[in-house]
Amino acid sequence: MKENNILQQLLKRYSNLATLEKSIIAAVEIIIDSYKNGGKVLVCGNGGSCSDADHIVGELMKSFEGHRPLDSEFQKRLSALSPERGKELASKLQQGLPAISLTVHNALITAVANDISGELIFAQQITGLGNEGDILMGLSTSGNSQNVVDAFLVAKAKGLKTIGFTGDTGGKLKDLSDVLLNVPEKRTAYVQELHLPVYHAICMMIEEEVFNSD
C-alpha cells in the first residue's frame, strides 16, 4: 500500500515523529471520509502557521505529487462548450480536493476584527462556512492561540471533525481535537519545522488514496 510507504518514508527521515504514526493515519482517514461524503477541509493558523494553512490548501486543491486528470465526462462537457478553449481547459485542469484557508479573506477578517473581535476571525468563518462532516485543521505551536481555540469550539458545536497541529503539550487544543498531531518540540520554530513534513505526508497519502488507489 503506497500510502503506508509514504508514512514509513516520513518516519524514516524523522524518527522523532514515530509517536504520531497512529494519529497521522487517523487524520488521513477522517479527511478521506469527509471527502467521500461531500465535505471540505478548512484550515487556520497565525504567523508562520498562517503560511502553513495556505500551503496545505495548495497541496489539496491541485495535484501535489500524483496525477489528477479531470473526470472524462467533465472533459467532454468542457470540450463541447468550446472546441478550442474548452479542449485546452479539459487537458490542463486538475481535480481538486475542496479546501479553504481561513487566513486569506482580508476584507472579512478585518471587518470581524474591527466590528466584533480580533479573536473571532476564524470562528466567524466557521459559523458561515462550516458544515457537519467537514474538517477543521488548526495550527498553533502552543496549542493555545485563542482565535484557533475559538474556531475549534465553534467547529465542535457545528459537528465538524477537528485536527490540531501543535507542539509537544497540545495546549488547549488537546481536548478539542479529534486528532492531535503534537510534534515533540516546544520552541516555535522547531515545532513549525516538524509540522511541514507531517502535513506533506498527510496530503500525499490523501492524494494517493483518492486518485491512485485501485
Side-chain angles (χ1 to χ4, degrees):
M1 187 176 185
K2 190 171 180 181
E3 301 95 300
N4 188 56
N5 290 338
I6 292 168
L7 179 55
Q8 293 310 312
Q9 288 172 16
L10 170 71
L11 300 181
K12 182 177 181 180
R13 291 184 296 117
Y14 298 92
S15 59
N16 55 343
L17 294 175
T19 57
L20 297 183
E21 181 173 2
K22 291 182 179 179
S23 295
I24 291 170
I25 293 171
V28 171
E29 288 177 345
I30 67 169
I31 294 170
I32 290 174
D33 184 63
S34 177
Y35 281 142
K36 286 181 177 179
N37 288 285
K40 60 184 176 294
V41 173
L42 306 172
V43 197
C44 63
N46 300 288
S49 296
C50 166
S51 297
D52 286 327
D54 295 351
H55 191 159
I56 291 168
V57 169
E59 309 300 19
L60 293 173
M61 284 286 286
K62 61 173 291 297
S63 65
F64 184 12
E65 291 203 334
H67 187 50
R68 302 191 197 177
L70 295 181
D71 175 83
S72 59
E73 288 302 316
F74 186 41
Q75 290 188 48
K76 290 177 183 178
R77 291 198 295 273
L78 278 171
S79 297
L81 285 168
S82 171
E84 293 183 7
R85 191 61 181 168
K87 186 175 182 180
E88 184 172 0
L89 290 170
S91 66
K92 289 185 176 180
L93 288 175
Q94 304 165 349
Q95 290 192 59
L97 295 166
I100 302 171
S101 174
L102 304 182
T103 69
V104 299
H105 306 118
N106 293 332
L108 174 58
I109 287 171
T110 55
V112 173
N114 186 63
D115 300 342
I116 309 174
S117 168
E119 293 180 342
L120 301 182
I121 58 172
F122 302 137
Q124 181 61 44
Q125 293 184 73
I126 297 296
T127 302
L129 291 171
N131 296 312
E132 184 174 355
D134 287 345
I135 303 291
L136 173 61
M137 300 174 71
L139 299 100
S140 169
T141 58
S142 66
N144 296 319
S145 301
Q146 193 61 53
N147 54 9
V148 179
V149 171
D150 287 344
F152 271 50
L153 287 168
V154 175
K156 298 290 284 185
K158 293 201 71 176
L160 283 74
K161 295 291 186 180
T162 55
I163 300 173
F165 282 81
T166 73
D168 191 41
T169 68
K172 294 178 181 178
L173 292 183
K174 180 178 180 180
D175 295 328
L176 293 172
S177 298
D178 291 297
V179 178
L180 181 67
L181 297 163
N182 54 325
V183 300
E185 290 287 356
K186 294 181 173 65
R187 186 172 171 179
T188 296
Y190 295 169
V191 172
Q192 290 173 339
E193 287 173 5
L194 290 180
H195 279 173
L196 187 147
V198 172
Y199 66 68
H200 265 176
I202 288 172
C203 291
M204 283 188 278
M205 292 166 72
I206 292 168
E207 181 178 66
E208 182 64 27
E209 175 64 24
V210 173
F211 297 106
N212 299 312
S213 62
D214 294 329

